[in-house]
Amino acid sequence: MDFDLDDGLYVFEITLGYIVGESEHMTVPLIVDADDVDEAEELVLEYLELHHLAGSFWIADITGPFDPVEYQALVDEGERERWERFDDYSEEDFLEILQAEDM
């Protein structure tokens, strides 16, 4: 996982919450590159709004900020989990999460 500093100065792990039926669930953390926590939150919320997912998902937790080089070292050393990037998830991926939990 290589981090591009043009995408953001820091790395944040964002966990989304969602409800299926009567139960509340949380996604695994997803990686967001941003200059600060407000930008990270804004990127996620804008994406959810744009894809009509804001009613189904919300930000449950944001960690960080992590320096990208230090974060990569923690991942390489096994001190942090290697999570997927938020940008790599499509609208279909999020809908599959909801459908998988509904079964």
Side-chain angles (χ1 to χ4, degrees):
M1 174 182 319
D2 295 317
F3 295 102
D4 184 354
L5 295 179
D6 290 337
D7 291 336
L9 297 175
Y10 299 104
V11 173
F12 298 87
E13 292 177 353
I14 294 185
T15 304
L16 300 178
Y18 59 99
I19 293 177
V20 175
E22 302 278 328
S23 301
E24 187 173 308
H25 303 273
M26 294 198 343
T27 64
V28 297
L30 300 168
I31 300 298
V32 175
D33 300 321
D35 291 338
D36 58 41
V37 70
D38 292 333
E39 181 184 10
E41 184 175 333
E42 184 178 316
L43 289 169
V44 172
L45 293 176
E46 284 178 1
Y47 178 91
L48 295 175
E49 276 293 322
L50 179 67
H51 292 91
H52 309 288
L53 296 167
S56 300
F57 291 91
W58 64 89
I59 297 173
D61 187 44
I62 299 178
T63 65
F66 294 99
D67 173 79
V69 174
E70 291 174 12
Y71 186 84
Q72 183 64 54
L74 292 171
V75 169
D76 291 344
E77 294 167 5
E79 294 183 36
R80 291 211 76 82
E81 191 76 29
R82 183 177 299 272
W83 303 115
E84 297 289 326
R85 290 180 177 274
F86 182 80
D87 293 344
D88 292 342
Y89 271 68
S90 67
E91 178 181 4
E92 291 78 25
D93 292 329
F94 285 108
L95 292 174
E96 284 180 21
I97 290 171
L98 294 175
Q99 291 170 354
E101 292 291 335
D102 200 24
M103 294 179 176

